[in-house]
């Protein structure tokens, strides 16, 4: 029996090779897509908000499989990634650095040593100011870039601070600082001095919320030390022993309003969270901090805390201390955007940082009616005395 011969001309051969190569490339592409999808899913689960969690990971194909490289401060995310890659039988080499970096040599704690330290998005003075940290604030330190340190604040916010604003410590030094008796500066703004005399040389300026270590009491002054070892004297009338101050906190709407009004006229500063300048959420954050609560940094984070009070402009439901959020509502083609926040103070008025800290009204007939924010109002949340993961009470947590 004869079988027909198989003839393959040049064109057929080229097409056959192309088909084989295409199949191989598709297989490789599919596997690469799988690796990238795994990385993306782990990031979405463990680090959906890059402002508070670091998972900067990518893959690179090589002859032996994949190199998984990058940095993270989330060991649990790395473990989850490795387990998923292994379950998919993907060959990989782990080149991910888990922070803190080893070249910090154990100095992975920090304490802010200036009255206000600027925290930036990148290790450069020209980079965006994302937040601020006040004197005495403890930090986690993750890595160094020249004279800059990547840090994380107690509210988990990530950023870079220059070396002049932070004192690095190992665990022994940090524990010693944390266990020392503290005082908190309660006046809006002032100074410390080289001697127990306000006519002596200024050591530094101080802002509301500054935390210092108490050494002794001398007449009408506290003798204090800074995180970097400097010493100074602070008027007793302008500060309080931290434990006494905590014990006196009443978490009341009246105290929130009083604190907020003491900041009237403070200029708007993008990224600001101190009396030297505040943005909208930096203002509400500062007001709550001076009343014993650490709340999330940004308006889009603050809106996720507490309980819903109103979303239909029924302002009679609100009480002083409630947070009002503004922005644009979600549509079929876009997500909700939260871009502004203010605090209700009663009498149909709210206080917020817009150009400067000011009081505006939701009453259309009022002289200070804020039509712009009235029209972009989203909803109101109540966080005072609520218990959410993002709310830290200084009476219940040893932050300082």
């Amino acid at each position: 029996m004869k079988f027909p011969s198989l003839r393959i001309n040049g064109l057929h051969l080229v097409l056959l090779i192309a088909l084989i190569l295409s199949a191989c490339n598709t297989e490789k592409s599919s596997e690469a897509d799988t690796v990238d999808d795994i990385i993306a899913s782990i990031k979405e689960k463990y680090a959906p908000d890059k402002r508070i969690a670091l998972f900067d990971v990518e893959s690179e194909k090589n002859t032996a499989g994949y190199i998984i490289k990058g940095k993270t401060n989330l060991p649990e995310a790395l473990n989850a990634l490795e387990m998923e890659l292994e379950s998919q039988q993907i060959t990989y080499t782990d080149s991910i650095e888990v922070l803190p970096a080893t070249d910090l040599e154990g100095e992975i704690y920090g304490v802010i040593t200036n009255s206000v330290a600027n925290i930036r998005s990148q290790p450069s003075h020209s980079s965006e100011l994302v937040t601020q940290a006040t004197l005495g604030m403890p930090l986690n330190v993750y890595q160094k870039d020249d004279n800059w340190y990547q840090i994380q604040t107690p509210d988990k916010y990530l950023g870079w601070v220059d070396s002049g604003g932070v004192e690095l410590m190992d665990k022994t030094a940090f524990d010693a600082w944390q266990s020392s008796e503290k005082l908190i500066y309660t006046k809006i703004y002032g100074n410390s001095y080289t001697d127990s005399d306000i006519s002596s040389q200024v050591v530094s300026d101080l802002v509301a919320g500054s935390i210092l270590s108490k050494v002794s009491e001398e007449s009408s002054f506290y003798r204090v030390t800074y995180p970097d070892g400097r010493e100074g004297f602070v008027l007793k009338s302008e500060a309080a022993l931290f434990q006494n101050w905590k014990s006196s906190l009443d978490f009341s709407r009246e105290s929130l309003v009083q604190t907020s009004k003491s900041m009237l006229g403070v200029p708007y500063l993008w990224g600001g969270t101190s009396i030297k300048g505040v943005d909208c959420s930096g203002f509400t954050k500062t007001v709550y901090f001076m009343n014993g609560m650490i709340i999330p940094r940004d308006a889009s984070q603050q809106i996720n805390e507490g309980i819903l009070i109103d979303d239909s402009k029924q302002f009679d439901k609100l009480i002083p201390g409630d947070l009002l959020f503004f922005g644009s509502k979600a549509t079929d083609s876009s997500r909700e955007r939260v871009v502004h926040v203010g605090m209700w103070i009663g009498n149909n008025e709210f206080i917020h940082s817009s150009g400067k800290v000011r009081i505006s009204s939701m009453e259309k007939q009022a002289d200070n009616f804020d039509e712009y924010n009235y029209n972009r109002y989203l909803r109101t949340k109540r966080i005072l005395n609520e218990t959410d993961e993002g709310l830290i009470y200084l009476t219940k947590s040893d932050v300082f």
Side-chain angles (χ1 to χ4, degrees):
M1 178 181 293
K2 291 185 177 180
F3 294 93
S5 61
L6 179 64
R7 296 180 180 178
I8 301 177
N9 60 28
L11 178 59
H12 289 157
L13 182 60
V14 170
L15 290 173
L16 181 59
I17 293 173
L19 182 62
I20 294 172
L21 290 176
S22 175
C24 293
N25 288 335
T26 299
E27 183 177 349
K28 291 178 181 179
S29 175
S30 177
E31 186 180 59
D33 289 343
T34 299
V35 173
D36 289 342
D37 288 344
I38 291 172
I39 292 173
S41 67
I42 295 296
K43 184 171 185 177
E44 179 62 29
K45 179 177 180 179
Y46 290 91
D49 188 343
K50 66 180 182 180
R51 294 169 294 184
I52 61 174
L54 176 63
F55 191 76
D56 186 10
V57 174
E58 60 183 13
S59 68
E60 180 180 300
K61 186 76 172 69
N62 65 8
T63 55
Y66 291 87
I67 298 175
I68 310 298
K69 59 185 179 178
K71 297 180 179 181
T72 183
N73 67 336
L74 304 170
E76 65 275 19
L78 176 56
N79 291 337
L81 174 61
E82 292 173 340
M83 290 178 62
E84 185 61 25
L85 290 171
E86 290 166 6
S87 72
Q88 298 281 346
Q89 298 183 334
I90 294 172
T91 303
Y92 70 94
T93 301
D94 182 354
S95 291
I96 299 174
E97 180 181 11
V98 179
L99 303 175
T102 56
D103 63 3
L104 291 172
E105 298 180 340
E107 291 187 325
I108 60 175
Y109 306 93
V111 182
I112 295 298
T113 195
N114 289 341
S115 62
V116 177
N118 293 326
I119 313 297
R120 300 191 177 276
S121 61
Q122 299 295 327
S124 165
H125 285 294
S126 61
S127 295
E128 177 190 12
L129 178 66
V130 293
T131 192
Q132 293 178 320
T134 51
L135 176 63
M137 179 178 288
L139 310 166
N140 291 324
V141 182
Y142 289 130
Q143 59 182 323
K144 181 180 181 180
D145 186 335
D146 197 13
N147 290 320
W148 291 81
Y149 294 94
Q150 188 179 38
I151 56 86
Q152 190 169 39
T153 58
D155 59 6
K156 299 184 179 180
Y157 218 81
L158 290 163
W160 292 84
V161 62
D162 71 89
S163 59
V166 61
E167 180 70 11
L168 298 189
M169 300 180 182
D170 60 19
K171 184 168 176 32
T172 299
F174 182 72
D175 287 347
W177 170 263
Q178 288 292 86
S179 63
S180 66
E181 186 177 7
K182 304 291 196 314
L183 62 81
I184 182 169
Y185 194 73
T186 54
K187 189 181 176 183
I188 289 296
Y189 186 82
N191 298 300
S192 66
Y193 305 92
T194 55
D195 295 302
S196 55
D197 182 348
I198 59 173
S199 64
S200 63
Q201 178 65 48
V202 169
V203 175
S204 82
D205 68 323
L206 300 171
V207 299
S210 293
I211 304 289
L212 294 153
S213 179
K214 175 200 163 189
V215 176
S216 61
E217 299 182 30
E218 298 186 18
S219 186
S220 58
F221 286 81
Y222 291 115
R223 184 180 178 183
V224 299
T225 56
Y226 285 69
D228 59 6
R230 287 176 295 164
E231 291 196 354
F233 290 84
V234 178
L235 278 167
K236 288 183 177 179
S237 60
E238 298 179 357
L241 296 177
F242 189 67
Q243 292 299 327
N244 293 345
W245 176 78
K246 284 205 306 183
S247 299
S248 69
L249 293 170
D250 59 4
F251 299 104
S252 69
R253 63 186 76 172
E254 292 80 13
S255 59
L256 286 170
V257 173
Q258 181 179 2
T259 301
S260 69
K261 288 184 175 179
S262 71
M263 295 179 66
L264 281 168
V266 170
Y268 181 92
L269 175 65
W270 177 269
T273 61
S274 75
I275 195 65
K276 293 185 176 182
V278 285
D279 58 23
C280 63
S281 56
F283 170 65
T284 52
K285 181 175 178 62
T286 300
V287 169
Y288 268 87
F289 176 76
M290 290 307 298
N291 284 275
M293 289 178 64
I294 296 177
I295 67 175
R297 169 64 183 90
D298 293 340
S300 59
Q301 298 169 317
Q302 292 175 7
I303 198 171
N304 296 322
E305 307 300 328
I307 58 174
L308 177 65
I309 300 301
D310 171 69
D311 59 4
S312 57
K313 298 180 180 177
Q314 297 183 44
F315 299 118
D316 57 332
K317 295 181 178 179
L318 279 55
I319 63 173
D322 289 347
L323 297 183
L324 293 77
F325 296 93
F326 308 87
S328 55
K329 296 181 183 295
T331 67
D332 292 339
S333 59
S334 63
R335 295 183 300 175
E336 177 183 82
R337 293 185 67 244
V338 182
V339 299
H340 191 59
V341 61
M343 191 185 84
W344 195 251
I345 59 173
N347 194 35
N348 275 334
E349 292 181 323
F350 65 101
I351 187 168
H352 58 135
S353 180
S354 177
K356 57 179 175 290
V357 176
R358 65 176 72 229
I359 294 174
S360 298
S361 177
M362 288 299 192
E363 175 57 56
K364 293 183 178 181
Q365 309 306 318
D367 292 338
N368 60 339
F369 173 57
D370 191 338
E371 182 179 10
Y372 176 63
N373 280 312
Y374 180 89
N375 289 333
R376 63 174 186 166
Y377 171 76
L378 294 173
R379 55 189 173 275
T380 293
K381 300 293 288 289
R382 183 168 299 157
I383 64 173
L384 182 63
N385 295 318
E386 296 299 322
T387 55
D388 280 348
E389 185 178 351
L391 304 176
I392 301 172
Y393 288 82
L394 297 180
T395 52
K396 300 177 181 178
S397 178
D398 295 326
V399 175
F400 297 98

